[in-house]
Amino acid sequence: MGLFFAKCTSTARLDGKTVIITGANTGIGKVTALDLFKRGANVIMACRNLEKGETALKDIKNSCKDVDSNLGTLKLAELNLASFKSVRNCAGFLLKCDKIDILINNAGVMCCPYEKTEDGNEMQLQTNHLGHFLFTLLLLPKILESESARIINVSSVAHTRGTIDFNDLNFEKKPYKALKAYQQSKLCNILFTTELSRRLAAKNIFQITTYSLHPGVITTELGRHLDDVYFRGLRWIWRSIMWVFLKSPEQGAQTTIYCAVDEEIAKETGLYYSDCKRKKPAMQARNLDDAKKLWEVSLKMVGLENVNI
């Protein structure tokens, strides 16, 4: 499985570091939590479903019974990115931490049927972008207390076909296309990363670095809606016939882990990575005017118009 993939080779320890990972109960989020837990980090798994989160937490601890190195800690936090209320509640809880050193915005949905969140936004736009945008900015004051912090946004190569329609972000005027909505949300991840980096630098804040990445095409639950949106059997084809070209969650998590721990990229910021190395994203992901506009529009959509960053 996964004929070609890179592996994070850094042996960096994270003893005493606090790490928050969204969507850490499954897939690459769970693998990332396991890896950073082994490195001594105090990992907070921010999950929508606490029951599944508790199961994942126990699985991680059980898998480390014979690990000799000093382990970190594991805790759960409830986070539903499709609800701004939930995002605010979770952020309020996490602001009580002594510090936040690494924030990994990993959770996401892909190609789901058209649905609006309780806040009135298209599900993929809010879950993949707006929810993480709000979450990050609410946590930023605590992240600023870290001597050296990283903010990592898991995007996708799907951004290369993405476009942002600022006149109809929620597909209220044009026909809904699940893949187009997904591609748009993943493009937003990269533009957000770039603009956040630019704004931090403009404030002479250099101890926080930002990263976006493509984890690879992975055999996870992310494709669970393919049958609903396209045709029955596509998910089986995706997982059963294309498996040789897909990465396992362990393989897919490597670039996230790389961005979280690799010492050589500690001073890089606002960049995009794939297979544990820096890559140039698509032209539309390098549009600084769109990055600025997306920031301003997103602030209004999440109700943070007075944020000064």
Side-chain angles (χ1 to χ4, degrees), residues 83-124:
S83 165
F84 291 153
K85 180 180 179 181
S86 174
V87 172
R88 290 178 181 275
N89 288 342
C90 185
F93 169 73
L94 294 174
L95 286 173
K96 297 176 184 178
C97 295
D98 291 337
K99 60 178 179 173
I100 297 173
D101 301 290
I102 302 173
L103 170 62
I104 301 176
N105 292 317
N106 162 81
V109 292
M110 184 181 80
C111 294
C112 50
Y114 186 74
E115 180 182 356
K116 280 193 172 183
T117 68
E118 63 184 49
D119 303 293
N121 299 303
E122 188 271 321
M123 181 62 71
Q124 295 186 86

Side-chain angles (χ1 to χ4, degrees), residues 46-60:
C47 308
R48 180 176 61 85
N49 187 314
L50 288 181
E51 184 177 349
K52 291 183 178 180
E54 184 64 35
T55 299
L57 186 152
K58 291 179 180 177
D59 285 347
I60 292 172

Side-chain angles (χ1 to χ4, degrees), residues 115-146:
E115 180 182 356
K116 280 193 172 183
T117 68
E118 63 184 49
D119 303 293
N121 299 303
E122 188 271 321
M123 181 62 71
Q124 295 186 86
L125 179 69
Q126 179 159 337
T127 303
N128 297 349
H129 168 59
L130 291 173
H132 280 133
F133 177 86
L134 175 60
F135 193 53
T136 301
L137 294 191
L138 291 175
L139 293 178
L140 199 55
K142 184 61 63 173
I143 297 173
L144 282 166
E145 295 179 12
S146 172

